[in-house]
């Protein structure tokens, strides 16, 4: 089996692994705040704040460990790290089905964060097997596995939660995560050779210097935090917003649809955005997508029905669908093959940094200013991200190079 066939086989396997991972992780999102309500008689503000804390704490530990996993993967192989992450998450989620307090759930969500780098590590795993000229298309294809999981996960989670209960749903979820770890075991790891590369080992200091010397690369990494703060500020309180708009009947199911419809828009356009960026430049497409997402999100502050919210979530998914694969394809262009994992790890760490503050910000704003204010702040952050990247590209045009 030659490298091209191995690459195709690995892409297909990792597509399904990411599908099971992200499907499993998003299964619990529609009812995480509802699960907290079952632990006692709490005020709505208490539930909103603890929903944000419990949702965001996973990303505290993930923020610290993502670059470390990336560096270890660059040195010793990403396949092993993927297996360890899958097993660690499976155990963590399984134990969540047995908790009886907010504190216990909080601790397990924190522990799960140590192993939450599966998706980003899979991106590095495939990236180092992909020629630069088709990186957007290939990584966009990989992203559709993640998106398909996001699309189906919340709906399945909502149905399971309404029919068999929240705690049992966590136990089922852990089984699907385990499947992802088993799938990774049958992949074959290798890296394509690139003539211009002379070094095979870089120190962490050299990697950081490489990033700092390219202001556009640094900006693309830094705005990952702003994007995630914007995107995740609405996640922990979305089910409560759905309850306000639609009523409390089957709220887990309808929350699942509201989560998943964004995934449908993602699925439709992720690979296409990657192909467009391969042709026209990753920086230009990132600027466009961020601006579109900001404009689309703003009307969410003024919806008066559940159907309007669903339409906005779908349109948002169309624009957000290209951001991650285009970002990773850009990193594939700029980072040496020997440090792809570490650079993507820094990107993931910055995204997790945004994930930490996004839910906290969303819970705080919704608790004091209402749900509409969350959409306004989210829209502003996305447009700000677009503006920051545009200014960086405008100031350093010599660093903008069309993909070869």
């Amino acid at each position: 089996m030659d490298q091209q066939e191995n690459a195709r086989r690995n892409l297909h396997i990792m597509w399904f692994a990411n599908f099971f991972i992200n499907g499993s992780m998003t299964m619990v999102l529609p009812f995480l705040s509802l699960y907290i309500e079952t632990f006692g008689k709490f005020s709505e503000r208490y539930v909103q704040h603890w929903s944000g804390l419990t949702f965001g704490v996973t990303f505290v530990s993930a923020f610290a460990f993502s670059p470390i996993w990336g560096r270890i993967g660059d040195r010793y192989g990403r396949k092993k790290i993927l297996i360890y992450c899958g097993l660690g998450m499976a155990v963590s989620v399984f134990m969540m089905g047995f908790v009886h307090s907010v504190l216990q759930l909080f601790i397990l969500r924190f522990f799960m964060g140590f192993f939450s780098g599966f998706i980003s590590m899979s991106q590095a795993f495939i990236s180092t097997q992909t020629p630069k000229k088709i990186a957007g298309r290939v990584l966009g294809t990989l992203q559709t596995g993640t998106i398909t999981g996001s699309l189906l996960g919340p709906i399945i989670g909502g149905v399971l939660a309404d029919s068999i209960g929240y705690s049992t749903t966590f136990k089922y979820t852990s089984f699907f995560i385990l499947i992802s770890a088993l799938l990774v075991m049958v992949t074959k790891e290798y890296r394509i050779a690139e003539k211009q590369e002379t070094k095979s080992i870089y120190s962490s200091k050299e990697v950081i210097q490489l990033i700092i010397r390219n202001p556009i690369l640094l900006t693309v990494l830094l705005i990952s935090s702003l994007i995630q703060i914007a995107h995740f500020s609405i996640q922990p309180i979305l089910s409560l917003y759905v309850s306000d708009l639609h009523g409390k009947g089957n709220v887990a199911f309808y929350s699942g649809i509201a989560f998943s419809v964004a995934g449908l828009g993602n699925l439709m356009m992720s690979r296409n955005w990657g192909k467009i960026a391969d042709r026209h430049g990753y920086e230009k497409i990132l600027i466009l997508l961020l601006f579109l997402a900001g404009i689309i999100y703003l009307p969410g502050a003024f919806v008066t029905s559940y159907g309007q919210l669903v339409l906005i979530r779908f349109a948002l998914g169309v624009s957000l669908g290209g951001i991650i694969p285009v970002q990773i394809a850009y990193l594939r262009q700029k980072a040496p093959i020997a440090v792809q994992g570490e650079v993507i790890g820094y990107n993931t760490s910055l995204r997790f940094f945004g994930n930490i503050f996004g839910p906290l910000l969303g819970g705080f704003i919704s608790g004091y200013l209402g749900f509409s204010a969350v959409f306004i702040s989210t829209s502003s952050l996305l447009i700000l991200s677009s503006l920051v990247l545009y200014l960086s590209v405008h100031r350093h045009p010599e660093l903008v190079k069309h993909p070869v």
Side-chain angles (χ1 to χ4, degrees):
M1 187 180 294
D2 62 22
Q3 280 195 355
Q4 188 174 2
E5 291 174 340
N6 271 324
R8 189 180 298 111
R9 179 174 178 271
N10 285 347
L11 178 60
H12 291 160
I13 292 172
M14 293 310 302
W15 190 98
F16 281 101
N18 282 1
F19 166 76
F20 283 116
I21 283 286
N22 222 47
S24 300
M25 301 311 296
T26 56
M27 279 173 67
V28 304
L29 294 184
F31 62 84
L32 191 61
S33 57
L34 305 176
Y35 192 34
I36 291 173
E37 288 181 334
T38 67
F39 299 144
K41 294 182 178 179
F42 307 123
S43 68
E44 184 176 344
R45 179 173 293 180
Y46 179 93
V47 172
Q48 289 175 359
H49 287 177
W50 271 103
S51 294
L53 288 170
T54 304
F55 187 84
V57 72
T58 299
F59 308 115
V60 174
S61 46
F63 163 74
F65 267 75
S66 289
I68 297 173
W69 285 129
R71 185 163 183 79
I72 294 172
D74 286 335
R75 287 286 186 91
Y76 304 107
R78 301 185 181 97
K79 180 176 176 177
K80 294 177 182 177
I81 305 303
L82 284 165
I83 294 170
Y84 295 153
C85 287
L87 294 176
M89 281 192 290
V91 172
S92 302
V93 173
F94 182 75
M95 294 301 297
M96 289 178 198
F98 297 93
V99 301
H100 298 288
S101 70
V102 177
L103 182 60
Q104 291 172 349
L105 182 63
F106 180 87
I107 292 171
L108 283 172
R109 291 276 301 175
F110 177 78
F111 181 76
M112 186 180 74
F114 289 107
F115 305 100
S116 293
F118 189 99
I119 300 295
S120 61
M121 186 60 66
S122 73
Q123 292 166 342
F125 182 78
I126 295 300
S127 175
T128 53
Q129 302 172 10
T130 304
K132 290 183 177 181
K133 64 182 180 181
I134 59 170
R137 185 186 73 190
V138 171
L139 292 166
T141 301
L142 179 66
Q143 182 71 3
T144 61
T146 305
I147 294 166
T148 305
S150 300
L151 177 64
L152 297 178
I155 294 176
I156 295 172
V159 171
L160 288 175
D162 285 335
S163 57
I164 63 176
Y166 304 133
S167 61
T168 306
T169 302
F170 277 101
K171 297 167 190 175
Y172 276 98
T173 299
S174 67
F175 172 74
F176 292 111
I177 297 175
L178 181 61
I179 291 176
S180 295
L182 297 176
L183 283 171
V184 175
M185 293 180 182
V186 300
T187 61
K188 182 176 175 123
E189 183 167 11
Y190 71 94
R191 302 177 190 181
I192 62 174
E194 295 192 345
K195 294 179 181 179
Q196 69 270 28
E197 295 200 8
T198 57
K199 294 187 66 172
S200 59
I201 297 177
Y202 291 73
S203 68
S204 290
K205 181 179 179 180
E206 288 175 318
V207 175
I208 293 173
Q209 288 175 340
L210 182 149
I211 294 170
I212 293 174
R213 283 197 296 265
N214 187 328
I216 298 178
L217 173 59
L218 180 61
T219 301
V220 168
L221 292 173
L222 291 176
I223 64 171
S224 293
S225 290
L226 289 178
I227 295 168
Q228 294 305 105
I229 289 173
H231 185 49
F232 274 80
S233 62
I234 194 65
Q235 301 286 50
I237 52 92
L238 185 59
S239 58
L240 301 174
Y241 195 32
V242 169
S243 179
D244 271 8
L245 291 171
H246 187 270
K248 296 188 179 294
N250 294 321
V251 65
F253 173 72
Y254 287 104
S255 297
I257 292 177
F259 273 98
S260 294
V261 73
L264 179 60
N266 268 250
L267 181 63
M268 290 174 61
M269 286 301 296
S270 180
R271 189 171 186 270
N272 291 328
W273 283 125
K275 291 171 66 177
I276 292 170
D278 283 337
R279 292 196 301 268
H280 299 288
Y282 303 111
E283 301 92 343
K284 292 179 182 177
I285 300 305
L286 274 176
I287 292 168
L288 173 65
L289 291 174
L290 290 168
F291 182 76
L292 285 176
I295 296 299
I296 290 168
Y297 226 140
L298 184 60
F302 310 105
V303 298
T304 56
S305 71
Y306 173 75
Q308 292 171 353
L309 177 64
V310 169
L311 287 175
I312 288 173
R313 293 279 299 171
F314 172 78
L316 178 71
V318 170
S319 59
L320 288 179
I323 289 178
I324 292 178
V326 173
Q327 265 192 317
I328 302 301
Y330 174 80
L331 299 181
R332 171 69 185 91
Q333 297 286 325
K334 300 300 180 181
I337 208 83
V339 296
Q340 292 274 302
E342 187 168 357
V343 173
I344 292 175
Y346 283 121
N347 182 65
T348 304
S349 184
L350 287 165
R351 290 180 62 218
F352 283 143
F353 182 79
N355 292 357
I356 294 168
F357 288 99
L360 295 175
L361 180 66
F364 178 84
I365 291 175
S366 66
Y368 288 96
L369 300 176
F371 295 126
S372 295
V374 180
F375 284 88
I376 294 172
S377 62
T378 293
S379 176
S380 301
L381 284 172
L382 288 167
I383 293 173
L384 176 63
S385 298
S386 176
L387 178 61
V388 169
L389 183 55
Y390 172 80
L391 292 175
S392 180
V393 170
H394 182 71
R395 289 177 181 177
H396 304 280
E398 73 282 359
L399 296 176
V400 179
K401 182 180 179 182
H402 193 280
V404 294

